[in-house]
Amino acid sequence: MEQFIVSARKYRPQTFKDVVGQQAITSTLVNAIESNHLAQALLFTGPRGVGKTTCARILARKINQEGYDDPNEDFAFNVFELDAASNNSVDDIRSLIDQVRIPPQTGKYKVYIIDEVHMLSSAAFNAFLKTLEEPPRHAIFILATTEKHKIIPTILSRCQIFDFKRITIADAANHLADVARSQGINFEDDALRIIAQKADGAMRDALSIFDRVVSYCGRNLTRQAVAENLNVLDFEYYIRITDMVLQGNIPGLLLAYNDILSKGFDGHHFVSGLASHFRDLMVCKTPETINLLEIGDHGKQLFYNQSQQTSMPFLLQAIEIANDCDLKYKSSQNQRLLVELCLMQLASLSFEGEKKKISNS
Ligand SMILES: Nc1ncnc2c1ncn2[C@@H]1O[C@H](COP(=O)(O)OP(=O)(O)OP(=O)(O)O)[C@@H](O)[C@H]1O
């Protein structure tokens, strides 16, 4: 049986061009290499799973390949990865410093990637300072961390800092589409968007959610199946809820919320989603902002149609009411009542004034 390799590993980018959503960083690195201006100590910081280790490995390979004819030579033996989470003592750093002194046998550079560098003990940080300040010419250090604020200023000031961004929903969904195509998996665009949304900016998470969903849904990823599998309330759900709000249908809303809770959805999640839904409707109101909506054409049309049934003053108030409920949710003693009250306020808001406003506008 063929061994299954998880997509996050199988599709780890091999060149800077393949890295998604970090163009500012990859082009700065390429320029620095080409103009011979690469610092010897670099700090890659940013959220989990956005390409820090990947870029460190590509950089390590690229600087060693410069001047060599064989593009397949990967110089992996010149790249040393240390996980500071499990090697965080002074002794670990001392043995690393001893190794650093010895020049590489082939290739120009020895590259040290120190992952989760914020986990080093303060004694280890201090032992490292001098080497970081005056490294041998053949050594490059790439420190990676998700928690820049935990790194002492004396280390920060010795590094060139690269802030990696969260991956946008559109970029993550496009990358998933490439992965799906290469595996011959059929998909609806919105299905991949739901996965990208759930991954919350981390590409590694997007790929592992994708693997999980494929093993559940098979080779046909529809929006509905993915939403069901990931237990997310997708936009069509909010469109239905908003229809009830616009009709002033309070009993319908209370029953719908009861249904949401009984299906195990989180009330807080629902309310934040509702506030975002009203925001998205507002964005749809003008041609200048409609592209801020990260959604496929079918979805855009549904949003547009619904936005035409609302007025700007209504949407502003609706956002305020839903957002207010979102803010109060955690500290409330009676969260269910809080959300029900929010839905009732929304319904009366539209019932009282909305029809009149639209007919006047
Ligand atoms: N920007 C990206 N473009 C394409 N794939 C990515 C990107 N970022 C992450 N990935 C995918 O996620 C996997 C893990 O990424 P990587 O190890 O580079 O993340 P990281 O930022 O170092 O995360 P951590 O801080 O958790 O170590 C990669 O193998 C790759 O498949």
Side-chain angles (χ1 to χ4, degrees):
M1 198 170 93
E2 205 184 319
Q3 195 193 1
F4 175 72
I5 302 175
V6 296
S7 295
R9 263 188 63 205
K10 188 166 169 192
Y11 298 96
R12 189 189 277 280
Q14 298 300 314
T15 68
F16 282 132
K17 266 204 249 75
D18 302 332
V19 175
V20 173
Q22 308 293 0
Q23 281 82 353
I25 289 180
T26 51
S27 56
T28 308
L29 290 172
V30 169
N31 287 339
I33 297 170
E34 285 172 359
S35 61
N36 244 332
H37 273 109
L38 191 67
Q40 279 188 274
L42 312 165
L43 179 72
F44 287 2
T45 153
R48 303 173 299 114
V50 295
K52 299 183 296 299
T53 312
T54 303
C55 285
R57 289 191 190 168
I58 297 172
L59 178 75
R61 198 175 326 120
K62 202 165 164 60
I63 54 179
N64 270 311
Q65 274 170 343
E66 291 283 293
Y68 274 77
D69 294 338
D70 180 1
N72 294 322
E73 174 70 78
D74 73 355
F75 296 95
F77 46 83
N78 278 355
V79 181
F80 304 88
E81 291 194 35
L82 181 85
D83 178 15
S86 44
N87 305 278
N88 61 358
S89 70
V90 186
D91 287 345
D92 290 321
I93 286 296
R94 291 219 174 103
S95 71
L96 181 103
I97 293 171
D98 285 343
Q99 264 193 49
V100 170
R101 295 204 188 102
I102 309 162
Q105 298 199 330
T106 39
K108 263 203 216 151
Y109 296 103
K110 279 169 121 178
V111 181
Y112 293 86
I113 301 173
I114 308 183
D115 239 329
E116 308 295 346
V117 68
H118 61 274
M119 303 288 278
L120 286 183
S121 66
S122 53
F125 264 131
N126 286 324
F128 195 31
L129 273 179
K130 195 161 161 27
T131 309
L132 208 54
E133 189 150 55
E134 288 178 1
R137 290 175 68 94
H138 59 259
I140 304 270
F141 291 100
I142 304 176
L143 315 183
T145 183
T146 46
E147 306 196 36
K148 184 166 78 175
H149 59 278
K150 290 194 180 155
I151 311 246
I152 53 175
T154 40
I155 294 270
L156 286 182
S157 63
R158 284 163 174 77
C159 295
Q160 190 174 3
I161 299 175
F162 293 85
D163 286 299
F164 282 65
K165 290 189 303 182
R166 288 151 48 93
I167 312 291
T168 62
I169 293 174
D171 281 347
N174 280 339
H175 187 56
L176 291 177
D178 288 341
V179 169
R181 276 187 215 105
S182 82
Q183 297 184 9
I185 289 170
N186 298 318
F187 58 87
E188 288 178 4
D189 288 345
D190 284 332
L192 300 184
R193 266 194 204 91
I194 292 176
I195 299 176
Q197 221 158 8
K198 183 94 176 169
D200 198 21
M203 190 62 97
R204 185 197 292 109
D205 293 7
L207 289 164
S208 38
I209 297 171
F210 174 83
D211 285 348
R212 202 174 82 211
V213 165
V214 168
S215 68
Y216 171 84
C217 301
R219 309 188 73 74
N220 251 328
L221 300 185
T222 62
R223 180 187 58 77
Q224 201 186 356
V226 171
E228 232 171 74
N229 179 244
L230 295 179
N231 206 13
V232 294
L233 293 167
D234 69 341
F235 65 83
E236 290 207 7
Y237 195 87
Y238 285 112
I239 297 240
R240 281 207 300 281
I241 291 280
T242 304
D243 276 342
M244 287 189 232
V245 165
L246 292 172
Q247 291 150 6
N249 181 356
I250 290 179
L253 286 166
L254 294 182
L255 289 171
Y257 189 54
N258 183 56
D259 196 39
I260 286 173
L261 293 180
S262 59
K263 284 188 177 139
F265 287 106
D266 174 42
H268 198 183
H269 214 87
F270 166 72
V271 173
S272 316
L274 191 59
S276 304
H277 181 76
F278 290 130
R279 174 265 183 199
D280 289 345
L281 289 176
M282 184 149 88
V283 157
C284 280
K285 279 223 158 272
T286 55
E288 292 92 329
T289 49
I290 195 161
N291 284 330
L292 293 177
L293 200 63
E294 294 195 41
I295 197 173
D297 288 342
H298 163 71
K300 254 188 196 144
Q301 189 62 48
L302 292 178
F303 269 91
Y304 180 77
N305 293 346
Q306 189 161 64
S307 80
Q308 294 307 298
Q309 298 169 43
T310 61
S311 69
M312 214 48 152
F314 164 79
L315 287 173
L316 280 173
Q317 284 193 59
I319 293 172
E320 208 170 309
I321 292 172
N323 196 43
D324 195 47
C325 177
D326 184 7
L327 293 174
K328 287 184 183 149
Y329 191 90
K330 274 220 170 97
S331 58
S332 166
Q333 298 290 324
N334 192 342
Q335 295 171 333
R336 179 177 185 136
L337 181 65
L338 184 76
V339 178
E340 288 175 342
L341 187 64
C342 162
L343 291 170
M344 288 189 273
Q345 279 174 330
L346 288 168
S348 7
L349 181 71
S350 58
F351 201 59
E352 281 161 20
E354 192 58 3
K355 295 221 162 50
K356 203 166 93 215
K357 277 187 217 125
I358 292 171
S359 62
N360 290 343
S361 67

